[in-house]
Amino acid sequence: MLLAGLCTVDVVQRVEELPAPGEKVQSLQVDVAAGGPATNAAVTAAALGAETTLLTVLGAHPLAALARADLEAHGVRLIDLAPGLPDPPPVSAAAVRHRDGERTVVSRNAGGRHFRVKVPPLAADVILLDGHYPELALAVARDAEAPVVLDAGSWKPVFDELLPLVDVAACSAHFTAPEPGLHQRGVPTVITTAGPRPVRWSTADGGSGEVPVPAVQARDTLGAGDVWHGALAVAVTRERTVPDRIRFANEVAAERVRHVGPRSWTTAIAGRNRT
């Protein structure tokens, strides 16, 4: 499995209550891990037993070593497309409320980083893109010989060129695209998540439906959407129907939110396979 996109360094503080403007609070727990949509999806895929390669940009700054160590510990093969870059990697600061797992996040994301892309030839049974590095996403999608899954959290200008190359667009409830619709742009399967509400899907040939989400007590929702996308990409290789693929992703994401911390949930889903 090949994933291409953003890798951040996440600093996560667990707190009794999310601070108001100007307020200082003492955290209950602090974690540091690699983050970003493609990165969290890669960790998920690896935990599910997939051979996983992440294409991203980290560079040579000391902070990048934190992300590298986390990815190595969780079985993700990393290919850094700019290993000599001296700038610090993107840093994401998150606060997670202890009683219900709700979170606030401040992140720089790719932050206008641009670089020349020379993607090495890589075999994959499925590809997941998050669109955060437009040149990278287009280069991978244009050479793809496997199904391409797009994590469409929010509209990005590159999507005009990227969507016709995508097989599955997995969108958040807040995702809005300019006309025409995604099917009219050439996407065969469109899936829309909505937090705890049922996941809706449609196909270009007229199929549609929804799949309920398991009811769980949420303890940590940080990165749950990324986990869902990683599980969906794995399910593309294991499940035959769209509803079964969504059901698999729903179950894995539900397991993630039951656990406190950015990586504690990985042992609970290790090697899970419904087929």
Side-chain angles (χ1 to χ4, degrees):
M1 179 174 173
L2 177 64
L3 304 97
L6 183 67
C7 185
T8 67
V9 174
D10 286 2
V11 180
V12 184
Q13 303 273 3
R14 193 166 187 89
V15 295
E16 288 287 2
E17 292 293 339
L18 299 174
E23 183 183 10
K24 294 182 179 180
V25 298
Q26 183 75 22
S27 67
L28 305 173
Q29 175 180 322
V30 61
D31 293 288
V32 178
T39 298
N40 285 328
V43 170
T44 303
L48 289 167
E51 293 187 8
T52 305
T53 298
L54 175 66
L55 279 173
T56 190
V57 175
L58 267 177
H61 191 276
L63 281 176
L66 299 174
R68 292 179 192 278
D70 183 43
L71 293 171
E72 182 179 357
H74 289 91
V76 177
R77 177 192 178 202
L78 172 66
I79 297 180
D80 187 351
L81 296 173
L85 190 69
D87 302 334
V91 175
S92 177
V96 179
R97 189 163 58 193
H98 182 66
R99 59 185 165 84
D100 59 3
E102 281 297 330
R103 78 281 191 265
T104 61
V105 181
V106 178
S107 181
R108 178 64 175 161
N109 292 337
R113 278 180 157 192
H114 296 281
F115 54 93
R116 288 189 174 185
V117 174
K118 186 175 182 181
V119 178
L122 296 165
D125 52 2
V126 65
I127 295 166
L128 184 142
L129 310 173
D130 66 18
H132 275 280
Y133 291 113
E135 301 94 337
L136 173 59
L138 286 171
V140 172
R142 286 168 178 159
D143 289 341
E145 297 182 358
V148 176
V149 178
L150 175 65
D151 175 350
S154 59
W155 178 262
K156 299 176 178 62
V158 70
F159 286 177
D160 279 321
E161 293 181 74
L162 189 59
L163 284 169
L165 306 173
V166 167
D167 297 284
V168 180
C171 311
S172 72
H174 304 292
F175 179 85
T176 56
E179 293 295 334
L182 299 192
H183 289 312
Q184 289 72 29
R185 290 173 180 268
V187 181
T189 301
V190 177
I191 302 171
T192 304
T193 61
R197 297 184 296 278
V199 177
R200 294 178 287 111
W201 63 271
S202 62
T203 57
D205 62 7
S208 64
E210 60 180 37
V211 180
V213 172
V216 298
Q217 181 179 1
R219 302 192 65 202
D220 193 337
T221 61
L222 185 66
D226 305 337
V227 170
W228 189 92
H229 286 94
L232 178 71
V234 171
V236 166
T237 69
R238 298 183 182 178
E239 304 286 355
R240 296 184 60 184
T241 71
V242 174
D244 281 342
R245 292 169 180 176
I246 294 172
R247 192 169 295 110
F248 181 85
N250 288 354
E251 291 170 357
V252 172
E255 191 64 51
R256 187 273 168 269
V257 302
R258 289 188 180 104
H259 296 266
V260 172
R263 296 289 181 256
S264 59
W265 52 273
T266 56
T267 55
I269 68 165
R272 177 179 294 199
N273 189 340
R274 292 178 59 246
T275 58

